[in-house]
Amino acid sequence: MPEWLVLTLAMLAACVVVVVITLVRHRRAADDEDPSETPDVIEYMTMWIGVVYAIVLGLAIAGVWEGRSAAQEHVRAEAVALHEISERVRVYPAEARDRIRDDVNAYVGHVVTTEWRAMADDGRVTARGTELLDRVRHDVTDYEPRTDFEAQAYQPLVDQVAAADQARSARSESTGETMPGVVWFGLIAGAVITIGMIFALQIRRTGREMVLAGLFSALIAFLLFLIWDFDAPYSRGLAASAEPFLRLFPHAGG
């Protein structure tokens, strides 16, 4: 059974249960029962709807913010690993050192220009970037150390290549949107219900109440926009940046 159908049936079942219980209790109520002595149910429900929706909004914002922070950390880890490769190969002969550094610079230049645009526009990394990183890996792993000093540097270099590849894979996995459609349905439906409950309280048209209602609605719209903006870590206004690459490889952006 599809998830959306399960969700729809569950929501309908909850509504039916509440309505049936309310009708049964109303039919069995005593003749002398005075409903005016009970608290106002509308105000109670409005309060709890607001509380529950605030919790849901807070969890959603925390989730997308954590995803954006993780995406930025993937970029930092990849840039640091590549910078370590460029620095550690100084013990290699000039020919091998220059070849590895040139390939690292070519990869970084591709990432901060072509691949970054591809992540923003298409939500994916490029095949060319994978090819360039594979070239760096082959440069490092295919070199045969000639001295003990070079041999001591060989394994750390291989480890840094693995760290860069792992960070790139994590960056690739975090390029798309993270919030499922069913969560967006809940957020939007909750916003409509929460704002709609304002009218259930019979809001008057005084200036103060109209301003408060407008500010409340604007706040919810802003929070939903914030969630949407953080949901794609590399492609929207408050996206993760390529600054770690540009800081460690200043000429990459040119």
Side-chain angles (χ1 to χ4, degrees):
M1 184 179 296
E3 291 184 359
W4 65 268
L5 182 57
V6 174
L7 174 63
T8 303
L9 293 176
M11 295 174 65
L12 290 176
C15 293
V16 169
V17 168
V18 171
V19 171
V20 169
I21 292 177
T22 303
L23 292 176
V24 171
R25 186 186 180 283
H26 180 70
R27 290 178 179 273
R28 295 183 178 181
D31 295 336
D32 58 347
E33 182 177 349
D34 186 6
S36 63
E37 295 180 357
T38 61
D40 191 347
V41 176
I42 298 242
E43 292 184 3
Y44 180 80
M45 290 176 60
T46 301
M47 179 189 70
W48 275 107
I49 287 174
V51 170
V52 171
Y53 188 64
I55 294 173
V56 173
L57 276 178
L59 291 175
I61 293 173
V64 293
W65 175 258
E66 182 179 356
R68 181 197 176 280
S69 300
Q72 188 66 64
E73 178 60 24
H74 299 329
V75 176
R76 189 201 65 82
E78 186 178 1
V80 169
L82 292 168
H83 184 260
E84 284 294 310
I85 294 172
S86 293
E87 292 298 320
R88 289 174 183 266
V89 293
R90 70 180 185 273
V91 303
Y92 281 10
E95 180 182 357
R97 179 179 64 243
D98 293 343
R99 182 176 66 254
I100 293 175
R101 285 179 173 173
D102 288 343
D103 287 342
V104 169
N105 290 333
Y107 172 74
V108 172
H110 175 79
V111 168
V112 300
T113 55
T114 305
E115 186 162 87
W116 211 264
R117 287 195 298 269
M119 290 193 302
D121 297 339
D122 305 325
R124 60 175 180 82
V125 297
T126 62
R128 177 61 177 168
T130 303
E131 179 184 341
L132 291 173
L133 184 59
D134 286 341
R135 185 182 301 175
V136 174
R137 179 186 293 107
H138 295 157
D139 291 341
V140 172
T141 57
D142 292 350
Y143 179 76
E144 295 184 7
R146 301 173 185 176
T147 66
D148 291 340
F149 193 32
E150 293 178 3
Q152 292 174 3
Y154 177 80
Q155 188 57 48
L157 279 169
V158 173
D159 293 340
Q160 292 300 325
V161 171
D165 184 60
Q166 183 177 6
R168 174 182 170 79
S169 297
R171 175 164 60 86
S172 174
E173 293 173 358
S174 60
T175 53
E177 298 180 356
T178 57
M179 296 287 286
V182 65
V183 176
W184 274 115
F185 170 78
L187 290 173
I188 295 174
V192 172
I193 294 172
T194 303
I195 296 174
M197 292 301 292
I198 296 176
F199 303 99
L201 291 176
Q202 298 180 355
I203 182 172
R204 294 182 295 274
R205 294 183 180 180
T206 62
R208 181 177 59 182
E209 292 186 352
M210 294 298 292
V211 168
L212 289 176
L215 291 176
F216 179 71
S217 302
L219 175 61
I220 291 181
F222 168 74
L223 294 176
L224 289 175
F225 171 80
L226 199 64
I227 295 171
W228 174 83
D229 198 52
F230 284 159
D231 192 28
Y234 296 107
S235 62
R236 290 174 184 155
L238 300 176
S241 70
E243 190 271 338
F245 284 112
L246 298 175
R247 185 178 69 251
L248 296 176
F249 301 89
H251 303 294

